[in-house]
Amino acid sequence: MRLSNSLLTLAAGLSTVFASSPGELSTPTLFRRNGTEDLQAFKGAVLLKNGEQTSCEVALMYSTFGFVSAACLDFTDDTAKTVNMTTSYEVMISGGLTSSYGRFKASQVTPNPNYDPASYANNIAILQFDSNGDEFVNYIASWRADWANMYFVRRSLSNAAGGAWNQPALTTYNSNLDMTDCAKANTLFMYNQNDLICNQLTTTSIMNATCSIPYASMYGVIDPNAAIAAIYSHSAVYGQGNFCNGNKIYNYYIVMQNYVHWAMSVIGKKAPVFHTRIAEYTENMDANYSMTIPGNKNVESVLVYGGDLYHLNATMTGEEKSEEKGGLSTGAIIGILLGLLALLALLGYFIHKKIKERLASNRVRRWWFFGRFEKEEKPEHFDPQMADPNDPHRPSAYPVQF
């Protein structure tokens, strides 16, 4: 559903929540809820590439830092280790629901060192960007066990050049989805269910009203507060096609809590997080944390999409690009080649058999032909002679013939 223009401006508060103070900034920006479907006007942000908006949302931490999906970036090679900085990256920040806060150029882009583009493992990066001098902080919900509910949100621009925002799309979700189905569709999720959130929620794409795409971010609700907790990572789509063919789709969101200390090592200061003040809370202190990267990254009859869904050709894997261009996948090509080899082998067998039969037949005919001249005898020719009257042995009379 859409957020209403009549949302109340509610006071920020920590309630029973403990927020890790960033030190130099003392004013928290945790926002109270107003019912089950209303979300206070957070500062939100989307990524622009070369002046065009993407479907990628930026999870703001400070007025100059934020998380973004690594799959939304351009890289100089397939290993996704070096970001292509010839691409112009900008962050457009909203000042509320539809108001604009500003447009800022990214000066540094840092993908997670353990990002694996083939599986979308550790699909997260840090953007550092300019500011207008007005500092703010947004907290990250850092403990999944806290979240009594989840808000899924998609922000978009009606005019990227002018900084005009659409009303955010929002839905409230409390998962009752069978995680077995999510795991069957995606091996990464199978091995990393604490790092990813799976659902089948979609909202209408601003680029094509006949297509439905996943939400861009997720907010964890800790009654009565909420804060951003995850960003969209990738989707597993059954069958041939993408988000416009009515196929069965599972969407996966990367939870940011395990990447907080890596973010701190990049930005050089404490990341703003909050959680309930209870003894059970445990913090991941590993700055080099990595998901388990599966060995087998493909599921039969499933295509995996990630990154900028508004420009799918820029974010598909090589296999998917060939399919989108009307070609065949690697698996399909291998299958066809094997089939052709089997057909050629079968054809060769029949040709060989036919040649053998022909040779055998010719051999019999040849030996029969030559055998005729070797074995054939001339018939005896009897040429009766007339009796010699001078033959002394001539009989005096011949038998009478009747």
Side-chain angles (χ1 to χ4, degrees):
M1 71 165 37
R2 299 283 178 177
L3 288 176
S4 170
N5 282 325
S6 60
L7 286 177
L8 299 178
T9 303
L10 299 176
L14 291 177
S15 184
T16 58
V17 175
F18 171 75
S20 59
S21 173
E24 65 274 20
L25 297 174
S26 59
T27 304
T29 52
L30 300 177
F31 294 92
R32 289 185 179 274
R33 296 189 301 131
N34 181 31
T36 58
E37 297 176 343
D38 290 344
L39 188 65
Q40 175 61 31
F42 286 88
K43 282 184 175 65
V46 298
L47 177 68
L48 306 182
K49 289 168 58 176
N50 296 325
E52 294 186 25
Q53 75 166 309
T54 68
S55 67
C56 309
E57 187 159 333
V58 179
L60 299 170
M61 289 183 288
Y62 291 101
S63 51
T64 54
F65 291 99
F67 285 109
V68 73
S69 166
C72 294
L73 307 175
D74 295 336
F75 294 90
T76 58
D77 55 33
D78 293 336
T79 64
K81 299 301 181 186
T82 305
V83 177
N84 185 354
M85 292 305 292
T86 61
T87 300
S88 174
Y89 300 100
E90 295 175 283
V91 178
M92 184 74 82
I93 301 177
S94 70
L97 298 180
T98 58
S99 62
S100 180
Y101 178 81
R103 178 174 180 169
F104 306 100
K105 185 174 179 58
S107 56
Q108 183 174 334
V109 183
T110 309
N112 187 276
N114 298 313
Y115 170 52
D116 178 44
S119 66
Y120 293 95
N122 310 300
N123 182 15
I124 199 165
I126 297 291
L127 293 175
Q128 181 176 356
F129 44 91
D130 302 332
S131 73
N132 58 9
D134 180 19
E135 294 187 350
F136 63 83
V137 56
N138 275 355
Y139 282 90
I140 305 295
S142 64
W143 195 31
R144 190 167 177 171
D146 274 340
W147 310 335
N149 213 333
M150 291 177 276
Y151 289 151
F152 285 85
V153 178
R154 173 162 290 285
R155 295 179 173 88
S156 62
L157 293 156
S158 59
N159 184 338
W165 291 82
N166 294 313
Q167 283 279 353
L170 177 145
T171 189
T172 302
Y173 181 72
N174 194 345
S175 174
N176 57 1
L177 185 66
D178 186 353
M179 294 299 105
T180 303
D181 293 335
C182 291
K184 287 180 179 178
N186 187 243
T187 54
L188 181 68
F189 182 80
M190 182 185 300
Y191 294 105
N192 301 278
Q193 296 191 25
N194 289 328
D195 293 294
L196 296 164
I197 294 170
C198 172
N199 63 38
Q200 293 181 288
L201 300 175
T202 57
T203 185
T204 302
S205 170
I206 63 168
M207 297 297 184
N208 188 339
T210 64
C211 300
S212 294
I213 61 175
Y215 288 84
S217 60
M218 189 280 290
Y219 288 76
V221 177
I222 306 173
D223 195 13
N225 306 294
I228 196 165
I231 52 176
Y232 171 74
S233 174
H234 61 281
S235 296
V237 182
Y238 279 90
Q240 299 297 320
N242 45 47
F243 299 92
C244 304
N245 297 346
N247 296 12
K248 183 164 64 173
I249 300 173
Y250 291 92
N251 306 311
Y252 303 89
Y253 299 78
I254 183 170
V255 178
M256 294 180 288
Q257 66 183 43
N258 284 324
Y259 300 93
V260 167
H261 277 265
W262 166 69
M264 290 166 58
S265 70
V266 173
I267 67 178
K269 56 183 176 181
K270 191 171 180 63
V273 299
F274 80 100
H275 54 84
T276 52
R277 191 195 294 271
I278 58 175
E280 287 82 0
Y281 173 75
T282 55
E283 185 175 359
N284 187 342
M285 307 290 289
D286 185 2
N288 194 38
Y289 175 80
S290 175
M291 296 181 186
T292 299
I293 300 176
N296 181 13
K297 301 170 185 178
N298 300 317
V299 176
E300 186 178 357
S301 301
V302 173
L303 295 177
V304 181
Y305 296 87
D308 180 14
L309 302 183
Y310 293 159
H311 306 88
L312 277 180
N313 288 337
T315 57
M316 291 181 183
T317 64
E319 179 176 348
E320 292 157 354
K321 282 182 180 179
S322 66
E323 290 176 353
E324 184 72 9
K325 294 177 181 177
L328 296 172
S329 68
T330 303
I333 292 173
I334 292 173
I336 290 173
L337 290 176
L338 291 176
L340 287 174
L341 289 175
L343 183 61
L344 288 173
L346 186 62
L347 183 62
Y349 168 77
F350 282 113
I351 292 174
H352 179 69
K353 182 178 179 182
K354 194 68 177 178
I355 291 174
K356 287 181 65 178
E357 291 176 352
R358 180 64 62 85
L359 289 174
S361 176
N362 289 341
R363 188 179 301 114
V364 170
R365 290 179 181 178
R366 184 172 64 250
W367 283 111
W368 174 84
F369 177 77
F370 288 110
R372 289 182 61 192
F373 294 94
E374 292 175 359
K375 297 180 180 180
E376 185 177 11
E377 297 180 359
K378 292 183 178 181
E380 295 182 359
H381 180 70
F382 178 74
D383 185 13
Q385 302 291 326
M386 294 299 295
D388 185 359
N390 298 318
D391 184 0
H393 301 290
R394 178 174 65 86
S396 58
Y398 289 95
V400 179
Q401 296 182 356
F402 296 93

